[in-house]
């Protein structure tokens, strides 16, 4: 049996695909109403983490951050205490590499398995089972995880034995996306202030140098001054950018671009704006008097 | 007859394609030895700008910067003085929008035509006639330029009547590329310092989110710590980044990323390193102690 | 006879001290109502730049920027055309070093003298004749300027023969002040968000490491979240920061702090806020959610 | 009896003044040879932390960072285990506010007292008992600490009951100093590249706007391109800048200047240069090609 904990927008979409792929699935969420759709689709609902873990071969988690995952895994009611020997924890969350490695060690000390398998894609991509997955952990654990991950993604990329490596790739990827958004925000703002249409620029760059969906989709929103739909809450994205900067600081890497997108997310989170990082474009436009 | 002035690596590749397309071509270069290959391929060589201009219907220029182009166009031996009435000047150079607009006005005052047609692509792309061209000027001038531009590029994109708009798009594009390079340099450096292979990261990102040549090619060099071949001299690229920042300053746009890539180019130009902007990756690596 | 052109808040305060020191003074201002107080205090009012210049041994100018000073000095009604042979132009304005040097050359071509003498101090300091003056030009011109400058400042500092040197020092000084403000804004904001009183921090730092008026005065405003009185219009200070960045760009100097304070001023000028650079503290506070 | 742990350059100078003031002093250092001078001056030398603590009313610590202080205070041989009931720990170190507060709670749980009393000043200032001290903790603990702190400093500033507040002030102060250095480095570099003497600029600014020792002393080194003597090891100063950025990140404050000086310290620490933050000036000069 497969267990799934953490039914936010991403978690629900992923869990649904696991079910569709024919796996027996039990789900758990702190706020129980999020389990309804999955229950109707055939999932069992566990009343507690302990109950879910005690019967599962594999448990996937999709959780906000280090702190919440630490709470979920630790303590007398936590995953570590209740997961069976040889059971596998697949962590899909965007967490710090250091915490991921520490968690792996804790599982190993209980003869449990752990892989980090953070995913790239918004909820609509998750719903189509088209996520890209960075995967790291022991060969045996990755082998065991493979059929489940294949049910939710379009590609699994191996980053070795150390789980934190996959988490670092996920953080790096989010940084790259954030930097791409800031770049386009600055460029299109420069255009608009100089009488060049944002849309013409967008068409040009995404027809020539950057003809890929991520440029087309984010760039379209930026060209439109359109900050909806929201792909990730500001507090979550702020956390991601904070983690990038923390890892950089602790490994002595200067990342001036990462500093800037972090500051952008801080300002957004403090302003309580319900926008994701496309909101960088609003900040750039506001600073430019648009 | 078509004239071509400015036979650097880009200029030679472009002029050769004009010739190949069947146009009658006369070329001029300040240092005459660069005309040899084209002469062998069938081009005439003019002894002066005045001689070239006096017989040409269209003259293309591919020149380093505003100052050199001002020298070439102005004065008693310059293009403005010698170009025929109704002749067309196609400026391929990466120059400031303000100078491009001023030059257009000077040509108009002499009943000459002017279009800005800056190009995207390195010399190898130019040789394949695969440049992308941003084009702006009067409808009549653009119409007249079209057959020549079609001989050198794979796509022509219209940015309206004001020539400077095309130059602004070119500057914006160079900024976007520079920012992409800095982004990958920071990300891959973060990976390497944390035990994740630069190449694995590169394969992942260019197989998933960014599967386009510009990411693959620049990213490969960055992953390899390889700073050759040099696509543009540091002084030229410094000039491009300076122009981006100048246009931003004069149009009151805050561009923190553009500031950073400008500073990177300043440091490279001062260090007399023969590297193009891929050298950002060396700077990032050095700062990180790699 | 001494002439004075440019009667903003600074100009009026300075001109009044020239009068108080016993010099015969004639003033001119584009908007004539600003001459009233000085006229009552004994100054003559000229009807034009030409009239003022034709009778003056020394003319001081206190003008917004390069463009306005170029208009004032050039053309058939300008200072260059009407200043007498051997007359001296003392430029108090915050202008670009390059323009200052160019203007010096134009005066020299007419056997007129020129010194750059930009001043440090707000209008209240100017009123007390306590300005600090950076001075550069030929030895003879500086000698001739000395008695007048002594009437308006508390100290004259020599920066050699090249006038632009004094202007560069003025720009550098404004950058240093702007950077000090940003520094205190960040520090006090960090304190407040962590439960430490801005005022306690202010008292501490200005009693210990930084016991000087410029830290006490600007720091007090920052500690108070008080953005009045306005010492300089945003557009003027934006111009100053733009000039710092332009000089840096043209002399190939990377100035990351100067980039940031420039961006702050751009945002303020675009927001049409009537605040001087103390408004950096409002920006920092807003970004921090205060 | 007073105990003192941590005999680096700062610790030795401070401990010597405690002895001079007439206090009975016992010292401990991990590497015992650093105790010699103090022993000759009359201090007793303890063989272990436990021995020192078991007899002390007050123990001062001057320790590199959170991790080393955590090791010193925790465990079965640590200060927490061996300090007497009602004994006072005065922490002089530059540590994170969060760790300082946590340590205070641990002491309180054992009925021990704790004050944070980080100090400003280099070893030469410490030797003159001229340190400035930011102080926070319970009223009783601060009262008890006062006579000792008066023996080592010229001023004690109260930041309330929460110890971390004093540590935050210390971190802020180090940030302010670092930002001052970067500011002067950029300004003097701009001057030199434009033909203005660094020394003339230095004389001007420290005679007029900034006539205080901290500007005069650091500015002199920067003007001289002189990076000696070293006031603090790069790794220590990198840690300080990292802590500033971490506190900023966790309290959601955007600090662009703090980002930059952090990056400067990262580059210096990675380069294994034995210079303190005055080395920012070398970086600025190198980037500018000087």
């Amino acid at each position: 049996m497969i267990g799934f904990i953490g039914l936010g927008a991403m978690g629900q979409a992923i869990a649904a695909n696991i079910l569709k792929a024919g796996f027996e699935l039990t789900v758990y969420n702190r706020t129980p109403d999020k389990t309804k759709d999955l229950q109707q689709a055939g999932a069992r609902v566990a009343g507690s983490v302990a109950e879910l873990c005690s019967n599962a071969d594999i448990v996937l988690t999709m959780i906000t951050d280090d702190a919440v995952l630490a709470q979920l895994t630790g303590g007398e009611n936590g995953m570590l205490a209740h997961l069976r020997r040889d059971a596998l924890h697949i962590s899909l969350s965007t967490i710090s590499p250091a915490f991921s490695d520490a968690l792996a060690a804790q599982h190993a000390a209980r003869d449990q398995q752990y892989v980090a398998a953070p995913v790239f894609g918004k909820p609509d991509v998750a719903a189509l089972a088209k996520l890209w997955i960075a995967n790291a952990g022991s060969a045996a654990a990755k082998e065991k995880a493979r059929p489940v991950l294949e049910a939710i993604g379009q590609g699994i990329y191996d980053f070795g034995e150390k789980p934190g490596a996959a988490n670092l790739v996920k953080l790096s990827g989010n940084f790259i996306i954030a930097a791409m958004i800031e770049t386009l925000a600055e460029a299109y703002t420069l255009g608009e202030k100089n009488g060049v249409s944002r849309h013409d620029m967008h068409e040009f760059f995404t027809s020539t140098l950057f003809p890929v969906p991520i440029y087309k989709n984010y760039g379209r929103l930026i060209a439109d001054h359109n900050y909806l739909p929201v792909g990730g809450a500001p507090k979550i994205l702020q956390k991601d950018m904070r983690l990038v900067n923390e890892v950089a600081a602790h490994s002595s890497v200067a990342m001036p671009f990462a500093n800037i997108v972090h500051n952008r997310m801080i300002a957004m989170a403090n302003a309580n704006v319900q926008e994701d990082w496309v909101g960088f474009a609003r900040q750039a436009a506001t600073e430019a008097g648009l």
Side-chain angles (χ1 to χ4, degrees), chain A:
Chain A
M1 188 271 283
I2 311 280
F4 199 105
I5 302 177
L7 299 175
M10 286 297 289
Q12 290 196 49
I14 293 168
N17 282 321
I18 294 172
L19 212 50
K20 267 187 225 163
F23 293 98
E24 190 186 347
L25 184 72
T26 304
V27 299
Y28 173 79
N29 199 63
R30 280 190 300 182
T31 43
D33 60 321
K34 299 215 173 154
T35 61
K36 282 180 194 162
D37 291 352
L38 288 161
Q39 195 167 16
Q40 279 197 315
R44 281 195 54 235
V45 176
S48 69
V49 170
E51 181 196 329
L52 181 142
C53 287
S54 57
N55 296 306
D57 303 303
I58 296 176
V59 178
L60 298 98
T61 56
M62 184 48 128
I63 298 295
T64 307
D65 60 21
D66 290 22
V68 178
L69 188 56
Q71 227 175 349
L72 176 70
T73 51
E76 60 183 32
N77 301 313
M79 287 179 65
L80 286 157
H82 292 278
L83 213 53
R84 298 195 298 211
R85 233 173 137 258
D86 293 326
L88 168 65
H89 176 191
I90 302 176
S91 167
L92 306 171
S93 313
T94 302
I95 56 174
S96 75
F99 180 64
S100 194
D101 286 336
L103 191 53
Q106 290 177 292
H107 279 300
R110 283 164 181 78
D111 290 323
Q112 298 158 354
Q113 291 179 302
Y114 175 84
V115 295
V119 298
F120 283 91
K122 291 184 174 183
D124 57 335
V125 172
L128 298 168
K130 293 282 190 193
L131 297 168
W132 283 298
I133 304 170
N135 191 24
S138 73
K142 285 184 293 195
E143 191 53 37
K144 189 169 178 181
R146 173 165 297 273
V148 184
L149 296 180
E150 282 174 349
I152 68 172
Q154 66 172 298
I156 305 171
Y157 293 79
D158 183 19
F159 287 92
E161 301 267 320
K162 206 159 157 278
N167 299 103
L168 185 125
V169 170
K170 170 62 182 169
L171 292 178
S172 299
N174 278 10
F175 158 64
I176 293 172
I177 296 168
M180 176 200 72
I181 291 170
E182 172 67 20
T183 299
L184 296 182
E186 293 186 18
Y188 294 178
T189 302
L190 184 70
E192 184 174 350
K193 288 275 286 192
N194 285 278
V196 182
S197 150
R198 297 167 82 92
H199 290 100
D200 288 353
M201 289 181 77
H202 177 66
E203 283 310 306
F204 178 66
F205 289 119
T206 56
S207 303
T208 56
L209 300 171
F210 305 104
V212 277
I214 199 163
Y215 270 82
K216 290 188 182 185
N217 297 340
Y218 279 115
R220 167 74 52 203
L221 297 171
I222 295 166
D224 289 345
H225 290 290
N226 177 13
Y227 309 106
L228 296 170
V230 178
K235 293 278 181 202
I236 302 289
L237 294 170
Q238 179 191 8
K239 177 263 302 177
D240 292 356
M241 295 302 106
R242 180 173 56 72
L243 287 181
V244 170
N245 280 273
E246 271 183 18
V247 175
H250 281 96
S251 55
S252 291
V253 179
M255 295 183 73
F257 272 22
N259 301 152
I260 288 167
V261 290
H262 185 201
N263 289 340
R264 290 277 202 218
M265 283 312 315
I266 287 173
M268 286 180 67
N270 281 319
N272 287 315
V273 186
Q274 279 317 305
E275 289 170 5
D276 63 20
W277 38 23
V278 178
F280 297 175
R282 188 199 289 278
Q283 291 181 60
T286 301
E287 288 166 7
L290 295 176

